[in-house]
């Protein structure tokens, strides 16, 4: 169990994830990510404020809050693409759940530990210093604050939109007071090329490869907009050597970290040679960057653009997509911010269309000046495609594991043998009709389905003394649940109790089809040492006939087109009664012979199919279904009466020596 393992980092396996398939004889074992294989010395965590530089690296480990399979899998796919030795997701926090979640690291299937609380996750994974919060806006603030208060957490990314501004202010204040970093709320996250990715940042793997994000470039990028980040990653990759790190701070009025926070941080990262900033109208965040530029705190080129210049075309104030994208006056307009940034020394183009060229020219000057060395060409590994995706796109074919011909739940409503559920209700179908569809895969005539329902009613119960009911009663009185009591009763069904319907049908059919006279049939069974199934009763006799048998025979004479098998069974009964008074046709024999007449007389089944129905056990299935109703009733009856544990009386036992 997770709780019994020492909270240390997983030692990378001796074989890389790239050669996991080289094992012979069996598949590679399931690797548990984020948990230790043996005790090793822990690295010391150093927390830095926003101005000291790098937040992430290829060693960064994260905790993911509120399980979302796709974003986690995309993070791990990015890890594999970048050549990381271990996945970046050390553990998942899913309140109320514990265990493991299976995911893929390349072709290797791994198990990520799932914890029920933030505290437990942080204790188990002390080197995980990034907390990625996918909680809803209702719980994002509380869970983020709980994470910030953990000594091991250094960075918290809040994805949710709509977090109350008062809660966000508290998070910002706490983070700044404790030298921690908040990215968001309302953010897609961030990415360090070739090292670490938050959630869905940068979109699909195809886009990541196209933007060369699987290896580091020289550009630090920060934006308010997550959607526009993807666009700029692509733009920057076209005209430079690519992104080193990209952050979307989020579009709320009060972001946890600002544009200038990250620009100042990029300024202290040696690998970042230039910065690209994408702001937007509304708020005054860009002016803190203006101040930093004027004060000489930024020594690297900054190419900036503030979007929203079209707002002046509207007669009234316009609220754009983000909560903060609303101009509160001239100073908050995109034009004013662009002008201020230009005057402070940033490279600001005349329009967004000219933004790409401005980035290109700045990069080329740095290359010409020898400040940016050439980036070595790296070919990323192929990410295996998920089977479901490959099948959907028609790239592969895979065998199914189950065949079903009786029902289909893939459409708008379930279908029984092709008949929609709504049709079953609208046409007033009964239980017999449903059995007809699910067992026989066709709509039988009404007299057939009515006969099925009569069988169920007549066989539902036969009192508390028969073995099945007795077992269910004893089990219920032992305090067991409904299913246990029901199964206890059902397990007594067999050749001696309720299970003779199939055998009765099989022997009666075989004898009739061979043209055996009733006496020949009975005597041949006697020679084989086999009692005739469906004949004989412990209570009923020639003078005390089973009313159930009479009702079934009466129904069949009235509605069935043919009763040849039942008539043969009656002739067999006439012969056996000459031998003993209790060798009457019982309910098993009646149902077995009449079901043969139903199948043969309906004209909907061939001889081979009838033989198969009898052989498979359809008719015993009818008894099992019917008797389940009574067994459930006996169970409820005992529980309702609050009957104590049953103990068989001594006087009812013969203690023989």
């Amino acid at each position: 169990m997770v709780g019994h393992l020492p909270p240390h980092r997983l030692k990378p396996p001796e074989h890389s994830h790239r050669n996991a398939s080289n094992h012979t004889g069996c598949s590679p074992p399931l690797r548990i990510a984020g948990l230790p294989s043996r005790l090793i010395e822990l690295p010391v965590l150093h927390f830095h404020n926003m101005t000291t530089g790098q937040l992430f690296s290829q060693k960064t480990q994260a905790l993911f809050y509120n399980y979302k399979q796709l974003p986690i899998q995309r993070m791990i796919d990015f890890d594999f693409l970048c050549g990381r030795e271990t996945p970046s997701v050390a553990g998942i926090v899913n309140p109320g759940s514990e265990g493991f979640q299976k995911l893929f690291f390349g072709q290797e299937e791994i198990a990520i530990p799932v914890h029920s609380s933030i505290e437990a996750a942080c204790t188990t994974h002390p080197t995980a210093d990034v907390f990625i919060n996918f909680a809803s806006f209702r719980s994002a603030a509380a869970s983020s604050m709980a994470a910030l208060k953990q000594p091991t957490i250094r960075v918290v990314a809040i994805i949710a939109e709509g977090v109350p501004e008062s809660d966000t202010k508290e998070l910002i204040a706490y983070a700044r007071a404790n030298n921690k970093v908040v990215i968001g709320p309302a953010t897609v996250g961030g990415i360090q090329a070739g090292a670490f990715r938050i959630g869905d940042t940068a979109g699909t793997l195809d886009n990541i490869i196209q933007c060369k994000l699987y290896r580091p470039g020289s550009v630090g990028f920060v934006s308010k907009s997550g959607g526009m980040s993807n666009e700029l990653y692509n733009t920057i990759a076209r005209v430079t050597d690519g992104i080193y790190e990209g952050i979307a701070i989020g579009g709320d009025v009060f972001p946890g970290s600002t544009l200038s926070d990250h620009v100042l941080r990029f300024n202290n990262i040696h690998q970042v040679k230039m910065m690209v900033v994408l702001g937007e109208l509304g708020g005054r965040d860009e002016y803190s960057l203006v101040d930093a530029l004027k004060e000489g705190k930024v020594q690297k080129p900054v190419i900036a653009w503030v979007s929203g210049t079209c707002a002046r075309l509207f007669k009234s104030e316009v609220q754009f997509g983000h909560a903060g994208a609303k101009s509160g006056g001239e100073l908050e307009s995109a034009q004013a911010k662009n002008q201020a940034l230009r005057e402070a020394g940033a490279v600001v183009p005349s329009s967004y269309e000219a933004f790409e060229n401005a980035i290109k020219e700045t990069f080329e000057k740095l290359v010409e000046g020898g400040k940016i060395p050439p980036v070595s060409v790296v070919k990323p590994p192929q990410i295996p495609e998920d089977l479901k995706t490959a099948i959907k796109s028609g790239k592969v074919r895979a065998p199914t594991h189950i065949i079903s011909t009786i029902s289909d739940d893939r459409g708008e409503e379930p279908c029984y043998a092709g008949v929609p559920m709504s049709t079953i209700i609208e046409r007033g179908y009964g239980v017999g009709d449903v059995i007809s569809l699910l067992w026989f895969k066709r709509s039988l005539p009404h007299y057939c389905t009515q006969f099925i329902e009569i069988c169920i009613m007549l066989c539902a119960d036969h009192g508390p003394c028969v073995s099945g009911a007795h077992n269910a009663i004893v089990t219920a009185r032992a305090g067991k649940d409904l299913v246990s009591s029901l199964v206890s009763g059902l397990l007594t069904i067999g050749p001696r109790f309720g299970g003779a319907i199939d055998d009765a049908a099989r022997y009666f059919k075989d004898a009739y089809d061979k043209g055996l006279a009733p006496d020949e049939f009975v005597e041949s069974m006697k020679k084989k040492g086999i009692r005739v199934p469906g004949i004989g009763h412990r209570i009923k006799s020639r003078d005390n006939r089973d009313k159930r048998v009479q009702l079934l025979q009466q129904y069949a004479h009235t509605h069935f087109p043919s009763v040849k098998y039942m008539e043969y069974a009656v002739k067999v009964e006439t012969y056996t009664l000459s031998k003993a008074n209790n060798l009457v046709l019982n309910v098993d024999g009646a149902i077995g012979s009449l079901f043969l007449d139903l199948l043969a007389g309906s004209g909907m089944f061939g001889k081979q199919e009838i033989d198969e129905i009898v052989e498979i056990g359809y008719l015993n299935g009818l008894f099992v279904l019917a008797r389940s109703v009574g067994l459930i009733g006996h169970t409820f009856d005992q529980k309702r009466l609050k009957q104590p544990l049953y103990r068989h009386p001594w006087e009812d036992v013969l203690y023989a020596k």
Side-chain angles (χ1 to χ4, degrees):
M1 297 297 292
V2 174
H4 298 294
L5 291 171
H8 299 290
R9 188 178 178 185
L10 175 69
K11 180 179 181 292
E14 292 182 3
H15 64 280
S16 167
H17 59 273
R18 303 252 170 84
N19 61 19
S21 61
N22 291 336
H23 290 278
T24 58
C26 62
S27 300
L30 191 68
R31 181 143 66 93
I32 299 178
L35 290 177
S37 57
R38 65 185 182 87
L39 187 65
I40 60 173
E41 185 179 354
L42 288 176
V44 179
L45 295 176
H46 297 286
F47 292 154
H48 307 280
N49 61 32
M50 284 294 297
T51 62
T52 56
Q54 197 155 306
L55 294 180
F56 314 117
S57 72
Q58 268 218 342
K59 302 292 185 181
T60 295
Q61 293 272 287
L63 297 176
F64 196 103
Y65 186 87
N66 195 17
Y67 175 66
K68 304 285 184 184
Q69 182 178 5
L70 286 178
I72 298 175
Q73 185 60 67
R74 287 165 183 158
M75 286 181 65
I76 298 174
D77 284 343
F78 179 76
D79 298 336
F80 182 81
L81 196 69
C82 297
R84 286 184 57 131
E85 288 297 321
T86 55
S88 59
V89 180
I92 299 166
V93 182
N94 201 33
S97 300
E98 290 184 342
F100 296 91
Q101 183 60 49
K102 294 196 299 180
L103 295 154
F104 282 98
F105 187 43
Q107 286 187 316
E108 180 185 7
E109 194 168 26
I110 60 173
I112 303 290
V114 178
H115 306 276
S116 60
S117 69
I118 295 171
E119 294 76 13
C122 290
T123 300
T124 306
H125 311 283
T127 56
D129 58 1
V130 177
F131 186 83
I132 301 172
N133 195 342
F134 265 73
S136 70
F137 71 92
R138 290 178 292 273
S139 60
S143 50
S144 295
M145 182 61 79
L148 285 170
K149 289 182 177 180
Q150 298 301 310
T152 55
I153 297 299
R154 180 169 56 92
V155 179
V156 172
I158 307 170
I159 310 302
E161 296 183 32
V163 178
E165 292 179 0
S166 59
D167 292 340
T168 302
K169 289 178 181 179
E170 290 182 13
L171 293 171
I172 294 170
Y174 185 89
R176 288 180 179 173
N178 291 273
N179 287 330
K180 299 191 177 186
V181 178
V182 173
I183 301 172
T187 180
V188 71
I191 189 167
Q192 182 171 323
F196 181 76
R197 175 192 190 187
I198 295 175
D200 294 315
T201 302
T204 65
L205 286 176
D206 289 340
N207 189 63
I208 285 173
I209 292 172
Q210 185 175 344
C211 297
K212 306 183 184 72
L213 292 168
Y214 54 86
R215 53 91 176 138
S218 304
V219 181
F221 171 71
V222 61
S223 167
K224 285 188 175 180
S225 170
M228 286 302 297
S229 294
N230 286 351
E231 179 68 25
L232 264 295
Y233 291 147
N234 200 293
T235 298
I236 292 169
R238 282 199 303 269
V239 297
T240 73
D241 61 1
I243 291 286
Y244 181 80
E245 183 183 320
I247 297 289
I249 65 171
D252 279 2
V253 176
F254 298 102
S257 51
T258 65
L259 298 173
S260 60
D261 287 335
H262 292 285
V263 169
L264 291 171
R265 188 168 60 80
F266 293 156
N267 191 66
N268 291 325
I269 297 175
H270 173 72
Q271 295 91 330
V272 175
K273 306 301 182 183
M274 57 183 279
M275 284 87 85
V276 175
V277 179
L278 181 64
E280 64 185 20
L281 83 164
R284 302 194 177 186
D285 186 17
E286 288 81 359
Y287 288 105
S288 62
L289 177 56
V290 170
D291 292 339
L293 288 167
K294 287 181 177 179
E295 293 168 8
K297 295 180 179 179
V298 181
Q299 290 81 41
K300 299 175 183 178
V302 175
I303 305 91
W305 177 254
V306 179
S307 60
T309 54
C310 65
R312 286 186 176 177
L313 299 175
F314 298 94
K315 294 181 179 179
S316 59
E317 191 174 58
V318 176
Q319 171 72 59
F320 288 83
H322 295 149
K326 181 178 180 180
S327 179
E330 178 59 27
L331 278 176
E332 295 186 10
S333 69
Q335 285 84 350
K337 292 181 180 182
N338 280 325
Q339 184 60 32
L341 285 165
R342 188 179 292 112
E343 292 174 355
V347 177
V348 180
S350 58
S351 65
Y352 179 79
E353 288 73 16
F355 199 20
E356 178 176 336
N357 193 56
I359 296 170
K360 178 182 180 182
E361 289 179 354
T362 303
F363 176 77
E364 289 175 348
K365 288 179 182 178
L366 291 171
V367 172
E368 291 172 4
K371 294 184 178 180
I372 297 180
V375 174
S376 57
V377 177
V378 177
K379 184 178 181 180
Q382 181 71 34
I383 298 292
E385 193 169 9
D386 289 340
L387 183 60
K388 286 183 179 179
T389 305
I391 292 174
K392 190 174 182 180
S393 63
K395 294 180 179 178
V396 299
R397 57 189 180 190
T400 55
H401 298 90
I402 293 176
I403 302 174
S404 176
T405 64
I406 65 170
S407 63
D408 191 337
D409 60 342
R410 295 172 297 176
E412 294 183 359
E413 59 178 323
C415 292
Y416 293 167
V419 180
M421 189 66 66
S422 57
T423 301
I424 292 173
I425 301 302
E426 290 166 1
R427 294 182 180 177
Y429 283 4
V431 172
D433 296 287
V434 171
I435 293 172
S436 167
L437 293 171
L438 291 177
W439 291 19
F440 301 103
K441 301 199 307 180
R442 67 204 73 185
S443 291
L444 294 175
H446 179 68
Y447 76 87
C448 296
T449 59
Q450 186 67 32
F451 177 77
I452 291 173
E453 293 181 7
I454 291 172
C455 291
I456 292 173
M457 290 187 284
L458 294 179
C459 296
D461 191 49
H462 202 196
C465 298
V466 296
S467 58
H470 180 80
N471 264 25
I473 289 170
V474 171
T475 306
R477 289 178 61 166
K480 300 291 285 185
D481 60 276
L482 170 63
V483 174
S484 299
S485 303
L486 172 61
V487 170
S488 176
L490 290 176
L491 288 175
T492 64
I493 295 176
R496 296 182 180 179
F497 169 64
I501 301 178
D502 280 325
D503 285 340
R506 186 179 300 110
Y507 283 113
F508 283 146
K509 184 177 186 300
D510 183 65
Y512 179 87
D513 292 349
K514 287 180 178 178
L516 294 178
D519 58 330
E520 290 180 298
F521 167 57
V522 174
E523 294 304 325
S524 67
M525 294 288 284
K526 184 178 179 179
K527 288 180 181 179
K528 296 175 184 176
I530 303 173
R531 293 180 178 180
V532 179
I535 295 291
H537 202 285
R538 296 192 62 173
I539 299 173
K540 300 301 177 180
S541 64
R542 182 200 309 270
D543 303 319
N544 179 26
R545 296 300 181 102
D546 192 330
K547 187 67 176 179
R548 297 175 298 173
V549 173
Q550 293 175 335
L551 290 169
L552 289 168
Q553 290 174 331
Q554 181 181 346
Y555 181 87
H557 277 300
T558 305
H559 297 93
F560 282 24
S562 170
V563 288
K564 61 182 183 181
Y565 289 108
M566 185 193 75
E567 290 176 346
Y568 183 78
V570 170
K571 291 177 181 179
V572 171
E573 178 193 43
T574 301
Y575 181 76
T576 56
L577 282 174
S578 68
K579 303 289 185 180
N581 199 41
N582 69 330
L583 294 181
V584 294
L585 182 68
N586 59 35
V587 72
D588 291 345
I591 292 176
S593 60
L594 285 172
F595 231 104
L596 291 174
D597 287 325
L598 181 151
L599 296 171
S602 68
M604 302 179 72
F605 302 89
K607 182 182 182 302
Q608 184 177 352
E609 192 173 7
I610 293 174
D611 291 339
E612 186 178 46
I613 287 171
V614 174
E615 185 64 32
I616 288 175
Y618 274 53
L619 308 188
N620 277 354
L622 194 63
F623 183 83
V624 169
L625 175 63
R627 192 49 59 94
S628 294
V629 177
L631 297 178
I632 291 172
H634 283 296
T635 301
F636 289 155
D637 189 43
Q638 297 303 307
K639 291 185 177 295
R640 184 172 54 249
L641 295 171
K642 297 179 174 57
Q643 290 297 286
L645 179 69
Y646 175 83
R647 191 180 194 280
H648 203 70
W650 289 332
E651 57 269 22
D652 195 38
V653 178
L654 173 61
Y655 292 95
K657 295 183 180 179

